[in-house]
Amino acid sequence: MVRTERDSGTERVATLVLKADVAIIGAGAAGLSLAHRLTCAPTGSRRLSVVLVEAPPGPLRPPPRTWCFWEAGRGRFDAAVSASWRRLRVHGPTGPPVEDDISPLRYKMIRSDDFTRLITRDLARHDRTRRLEATVDSVDGLTEGALINAHTATGEARSVQARWVFDSRPLGSLPAARTTLLQHFRGWFVRTDRPVFDPAGAELMDFRTPQPPTGLSFGYVLPTGPRQALVEYTEFSPTVLTGDGYDAALRHYTGTVLGLDDFEVTGTETGVIPMTDAPFARRTGPRVFRIGAAGGATRPATGYTFTGIQRQTAAVAAALHQGRRPVPPQPHPARSRAMDAVLLHALDSGLVDGADFFSRLFTRVPMTRLLRFLDGETRLYEDLGIGLHTPVRPMLRAAARVPGLPRRPFPGA
């Protein structure tokens, strides 16, 4: 609808107002996943009208990136999966690597451009889903919903009135936490002249990299063919590197560690993921909620987010289709978050050596069990068994300290 105003006998257009059952702000993994689930309504459930508000091209739109996760069998988004692996390797600082078959799981990689194309194609088939390219200025609560005020790239005002609003935009600042580390990385998509990669296996963590004073670093190799791979350098530490610092680390890893002497860099990706024990507010108004990383979907101790997003958006969509209040759930169990808080403090304080900690775990615990643990799907007795393969005394010291640590704002950007 178009809201108009009359002024001195003339009529001028003020704002284009769209009305919908659900409005979603942001078209990243969380926003697109929720829109997709809402359009796939179960038989007999009410069809919902949806408006997806996406930022115009520019600094508010996230750059292309990759998401990795693991699952058993065929998945909902397999059409967007660019590669997957059944065998994973972990290389300690010294010695031979640990390699394991993670069947029935597969480790999968989705590139954001492929994911966006898949979801866009599916959304186009549903006449009750609309997309609006605009920058959101404010979200105001109403008696029975909320009003999104926005403007287009040309400055035209747009508004969306919805019964429920789900905001997936990144937070401007992190909530206060006892411990916050950053998972920061740069990856090169490389192409070699000769076949040097094994497409059947991926290097999940390779600790043959210089370790920072706090936290840890590792290499990461995801082959997409015998001559192509995504090669990344990753750190868990309090501060990010300069661009030259990442490139120097990647040159060392590709040349000195992997022995790649002749390759072409066909693309890059850079990212920063907060790893924090901060509580994330999932509600900002009576009918306005946060989803995705802004709603706590990132697993604090690993930085993996895609699976948490799917759990969260599936629960929200099910509630809406069933006519229930769609409060986004915590994507990770309380026990998992408590253990993550202990590990983050142990890494940040230097109580444990990060490279040794993870190498030891993967050496002594089957990878499939560890991946289930990282998804929060293990039982208490399994968690205790995994805990016995960590440095027990330092971890107990960290566990004793964590409850008394103050929560402070994160000092960095």
Side-chain angles (χ1 to χ4, degrees):
M1 63 173 287
V2 177
R3 186 172 67 221
T4 61
E5 296 177 357
R6 294 185 180 276
D7 183 18
S8 302
T10 63
E11 187 177 87
R12 61 185 177 85
V13 176
T15 307
L16 176 67
V17 182
L18 301 176
K19 289 192 174 184
D21 295 310
V22 178
I24 301 168
I25 303 174
L32 289 173
S33 296
L34 180 56
H36 191 261
R37 291 181 183 278
L38 290 176
T39 59
C40 302
T43 303
S45 63
R46 178 169 171 260
R47 293 183 65 208
L48 300 165
S49 56
V50 179
V51 172
L52 179 63
V53 185
E54 178 180 16
L60 295 181
R61 185 177 288 190
R65 56 218 180 279
T66 60
W67 300 304
C68 290
F69 59 101
W70 50 89
E71 63 182 348
R74 290 191 54 79
R76 182 183 187 90
F77 304 115
D78 272 6
V81 170
S82 54
S84 67
W85 304 270
R86 194 184 67 229
R87 294 202 329 267
L88 297 181
R89 288 183 299 273
V90 172
H91 234 120
T94 59
V98 177
E99 186 166 338
D100 208 350
D101 186 318
I102 62 170
S103 298
L105 303 177
R106 289 190 76 89
Y107 192 79
K108 300 181 178 182
M109 178 175 74
I110 289 179
R111 300 186 71 168
S112 59
D113 287 348
D114 296 330
F115 185 76
T116 299
R117 279 191 289 269
L118 172 67
I119 303 303
T120 298
R121 183 195 68 197
D122 288 353
L123 295 184
R125 299 171 181 165
H126 297 270
D127 58 0
R128 293 180 64 80
T129 299
R130 290 170 289 180
R131 299 183 72 159
L132 171 64
E133 193 172 275
T135 300
V136 173
D137 300 312
S138 64
V139 182
D140 302 324
L142 303 174
T143 304
E144 291 295 329
L147 181 69
I148 299 171
N149 298 299
H151 64 274
T152 67
T154 57
E156 298 172 283
R158 295 287 186 271
S159 292
V160 181
Q161 184 177 333
R163 294 180 61 227
W164 306 101
V165 173
F166 297 90
D167 192 345
S168 68
R169 293 173 296 174
L171 298 176
S173 60
L174 293 175
R178 293 169 296 204
T179 308
T180 298
L181 292 175
L182 300 177
Q183 179 180 154
H184 50 104
F185 55 89
R186 174 167 291 181
W188 287 345
F189 291 90
V190 302
R191 180 185 295 122
T192 60
D193 290 335
R194 55 189 177 84
V196 296
F197 300 112
D198 174 12
E203 198 84 39
L204 185 65
M205 302 179 95
D206 186 344
F207 294 105
R208 295 174 296 173
T209 51
Q211 296 299 310
T214 299
L216 62 114
S217 74
F218 57 91
Y220 185 51
V221 183
L222 302 181
T224 55
R227 295 178 175 84
Q228 299 88 31
L230 169 61
V231 181
E232 286 195 353
Y233 173 81
T234 300
E235 277 194 20
F236 296 178
S237 59
T239 57
V240 300
L241 304 180
T242 63
D244 289 343
Y246 290 114
D247 287 341
L250 274 166
R251 284 194 296 270
H252 173 269
Y253 183 59
T254 55
T256 304
V257 177
L258 298 181
L260 300 181
D261 54 6
D262 188 15
F263 61 88
E264 174 190 4
V265 177
T266 61
T268 64
E269 70 167 16
T270 304
V272 181
I273 302 171
M275 303 170 66
T276 174
D277 66 357
F280 285 79
R282 286 161 289 135
R283 174 183 290 177
T284 59
R287 290 174 176 259
V288 182
F289 305 99
R290 287 196 182 116
I291 57 172
T298 301
R299 179 75 193 257
T302 66
Y304 283 101
T305 305
F306 195 80
T307 298
I309 284 173
Q310 299 316 313
R311 278 198 290 261
Q312 194 178 62
T313 55
V316 167
L320 286 165
H321 286 141
Q322 295 164 15
R324 296 185 284 109
R325 193 168 187 81
V327 179
Q330 278 282 4
H332 308 288
R335 190 167 77 241
S336 298
R337 300 197 307 275
M339 290 186 290
D340 286 358
V342 173
L343 177 58
L344 286 176
H345 176 63
L347 291 172
D348 186 49
S349 63
L351 282 171
V352 299
D353 178 284
D356 177 71
F357 179 91
F358 283 102
S359 300
R360 182 173 174 171
L361 269 184
F362 280 100
T363 300
R364 301 182 179 187
V365 181
M367 283 193 192
T368 304
R369 187 181 306 166
L370 273 180
L371 295 178
R372 289 178 49 242
F373 170 77
L374 295 178
D375 268 345
E377 294 179 351
T378 45
R379 299 188 179 187
L380 178 59
Y381 74 88
E382 293 176 294
D383 294 347
L384 293 173
I386 291 172
L388 292 175
H389 293 298
T390 68
V392 175
R393 288 186 180 180
M395 293 301 287
L396 288 176
R397 288 177 61 191
R401 290 180 183 178
V402 164
L405 296 175
R407 293 190 181 274
R408 296 189 176 96
F410 182 62

